[in-house]
Amino acid sequence: MKNTLKNKATIYDSQIKEALEFCIKQITECLPEFTSHFPKAYSEKNFYAPTENVDWTTGFWTGEIWIAYEYVKDHPEKYGPEVLESLEGAAKVQMDSFLYRIENEIEVDHHDMGFLYSPSCVAGYKLIGSEVGHRAAILAADRLLRRYHPVGEFLQAWGPMDQPENYRLIIDCLNNLPLLYWAADETGDSKYREVADKHIHTALSNLIREDYSTWHTFFFDPVTGAPDHGATCQGYRDGSAWARGQAWGVYGLATAYRYTHREEYIDLFDHVLEYFIDHLPEDLVPFWDFEFSDGSKEPRDSSSASIAVCGMLEMSRHVPADKAALYREIAAKILKSLCDNYAVKDTSISNGLVLHSTYSNHSPYNTCNHYGVDECNIWGDYFYMEALIRLSKDWQQYW
Ligand code: GLY
């Protein structure tokens, strides 16, 4: 284990419990504002404003509500039935909104159907058998299939399907694919699985560099489908390792292995994870790009730490006990730092859960606008809660 990690403490059970209970307090206090509306993707001065169900990120908030629901249900000695009812009621209102969104094709011309529909509607179907959730999630899976390019064998991330400048995939998409595997199982139709398998193969063959850092995005030739070149969108520069991209790679490889059982994905997971760990700063929470480390004044991306922790905890379910214990130990060390140094502990300073995340940071070498920098981000909050619940019980994932 890397020296940075050796002397670090792991999060302990009572701290996990305390952290989850704070999350539940924060979420239940926010429900009046965020039931018919959703928190925006990122906070401003650490407070989320309400938004309609239009961005790629709204499913994470419903996912937070579902995790809170699970914890409250598991602890009837602490919470009254009215708390459970209010969480379930809010999640149902939101699943109606997700069904309306997909049926009316509102902002669904992109690949983020998994991020939107797995933690909201698949979760609702798994937890309470919601038929609304089921119908919405199948429609979302169908929508995602429409992004598939049979020539290049990948799902196009963004933009109109006939634009050569958009003929690319991005590493984030790996975590959209569990929706397709779920749809394959639910419908018995293998087309969803075939597309997901093909996309994973194309993505992993091209996104991972020789040193196991990762490209954020990768372009293909629109006529032949041949791999063309890697580039960044949200990273510092094309050849650098965007911290959240590397974290999407860690979690994406764990889910890729979970659904395909291809042994080579375990090996790739180890290498991509090793790159992530080897480039961590002293407090184990990455700066927004691995171009930067201790001593830098650049902002952190705490969400990338939570995403990678969830990936390690997922992969720990699929490997022999000694390796699983190592992944869990590393995950518990990173989570302790998040909990000690980044988590919100006072509802008067933020209506989110984790501070110091970075959504879109402008650099001299990227084309990003500057927003959600050194703020709470809604997926950062969600994956922090997922990491906590994964360490507190044998959690049945929404993905
Ligand atoms: N999937 C978009 C992002 O990570 O910012």
Side-chain angles (χ1 to χ4, degrees):
M1 191 184 290
K2 204 195 163 204
N3 278 344
T4 325
L5 279 163
K6 269 199 183 119
N7 58 351
K8 297 288 191 295
T10 52
I11 193 164
Y12 39 89
D13 289 350
S14 61
Q15 193 176 11
I16 292 172
K17 181 169 176 286
E18 203 177 302
L20 275 167
E21 286 173 5
F22 177 83
C23 295
I24 285 148
K25 175 178 159 62
Q26 183 72 292
I27 289 166
T28 49
E29 283 184 18
C30 286
L31 281 186
E33 191 175 15
F34 300 136
T35 292
S36 59
H37 287 78
F38 294 77
K40 236 177 116 173
Y42 56 92
S43 65
E44 282 164 77
K45 297 200 169 82
N46 297 326
F47 279 85
Y48 293 107
T51 175
E52 301 293 335
N53 192 357
V54 289
D55 208 344
W56 69 276
T57 51
T58 45
F60 295 115
W61 170 244
T62 316
E64 285 179 50
I65 293 175
W66 281 129
I67 294 175
Y69 167 91
E70 284 197 59
Y71 187 85
V72 166
K73 192 168 183 207
D74 290 345
H75 295 85
E77 76 292 350
K78 182 162 175 74
Y79 299 99
E82 71 287 354
V83 184
L84 196 66
E85 276 161 27
S86 70
L87 290 162
E88 182 176 334
K92 281 180 169 165
V93 169
Q94 289 172 22
M95 286 193 295
D96 287 344
S97 164
F98 280 106
L99 181 59
Y100 182 85
R101 178 170 174 175
I102 196 76
E103 284 184 335
N104 291 281
E105 305 187 333
I106 299 167
E107 299 292 336
V108 288
D109 281 332
H110 57 78
H111 70 153
D112 282 325
M113 295 302 107
F115 285 131
L116 282 169
Y117 284 85
S118 293
S120 57
C121 293
V122 173
Y125 176 65
K126 288 185 175 178
L127 291 170
I128 61 163
S130 165
E131 284 306 321
V132 168
H134 190 275
R135 178 167 161 66
I138 295 289
L139 288 173
D142 287 338
R143 188 86 201 182
L144 181 51
L145 289 186
R146 288 161 61 170
R147 312 284 308 168
Y148 187 63
H149 283 299
V151 176
E153 299 192 333
F154 69 93
L155 291 154
Q156 183 182 310
W158 308 309
M161 294 293 281
D162 57 356
Q163 279 182 339
E165 67 270 31
N166 275 310
Y167 200 73
R168 65 168 155 188
L169 59 79
I170 73 171
I171 194 163
D172 325 25
C173 188
L174 292 168
N175 270 33
N176 280 316
L177 304 179
L179 179 68
L180 296 182
Y181 289 109
W182 173 82
D185 287 345
E186 287 299 313
T187 61
D189 190 334
S190 60
K191 70 182 176 193
Y192 302 98
R193 180 175 293 109
E194 283 157 19
V195 164
D197 284 352
K198 289 227 165 79
H199 176 92
I200 289 174
H201 180 72
T202 307
L204 296 180
S205 307
N206 292 289
L207 287 169
I208 301 173
R209 304 180 184 124
E210 267 186 26
D211 65 354
Y212 298 103
S213 65
T214 51
W215 293 107
H216 178 197
T217 86
F218 205 94
F219 286 88
F220 298 81
D221 183 306
V223 177
T224 65
D228 200 273
H229 68 282
T232 201
C233 176
Q234 283 155 274
Y236 179 70
R237 61 181 173 86
D238 282 342
S240 69
W242 176 46
R244 193 158 64 257
Q246 197 76 17
W248 289 134
V250 171
Y251 200 170
L253 275 156
T255 51
Y257 179 75
R258 170 181 156 84
Y259 288 105
T260 65
H261 303 293
R262 291 182 67 150
E263 289 298 315
E264 65 268 31
Y265 295 164
I266 298 189
D267 193 46
L268 276 179
F269 172 89
D270 281 334
H271 285 298
V272 170
L273 176 61
E274 190 175 12
Y275 187 97
F276 185 91
I277 288 168
D278 281 353
H279 291 79
L280 288 175
E282 187 57 35
D283 79 352
L284 310 182
V285 173
F287 289 78
W288 69 285
D289 191 292
F290 284 121
E291 189 93 345
F292 311 108
S293 195
D294 288 315
S296 171
K297 291 195 168 34
E298 293 286 328
R300 306 273 176 159
D301 178 16
S302 57
S303 77
S304 64
S306 297
I307 294 164
V309 165
C310 291
M312 286 177 241
L313 295 175
E314 175 58 36
M315 199 53 135
S316 73
R317 293 174 155 174
H318 308 291
V319 292
D322 53 343
K323 205 169 183 184
L326 181 65
Y327 293 158
R328 288 178 73 84
E329 186 183 342
I330 299 170
K333 288 181 173 189
I334 299 176
L335 191 54
K336 175 141 177 69
S337 179
L338 281 167
C339 194
D340 285 347
N341 308 315
Y342 293 81
V344 175
K345 307 227 171 45
D346 172 353
T347 56
S348 72
I349 64 150
S350 172
N351 60 359
L353 302 180
V354 190
L355 307 171
H356 307 303
S357 187
T358 289
Y359 185 178
S360 176
N361 197 10
H362 180 66
S363 89
Y365 311 108
N366 74 21
T367 53
C368 274
N369 291 322
H370 183 97
Y371 48 80
V373 174
D374 198 19
E375 290 285 349
C376 301
N377 284 324
I378 199 70
W379 61 87
D381 291 354
Y382 168 81
F383 286 109
Y384 171 69
M385 270 190 98
E386 183 183 307
L388 291 167
I389 195 110
R390 276 179 178 273
L391 276 178
S392 76
K393 70 173 193 176
D394 182 21
W395 185 66
Q396 297 311 302
Q397 59 269 50
Y398 307 156
W399 306 96

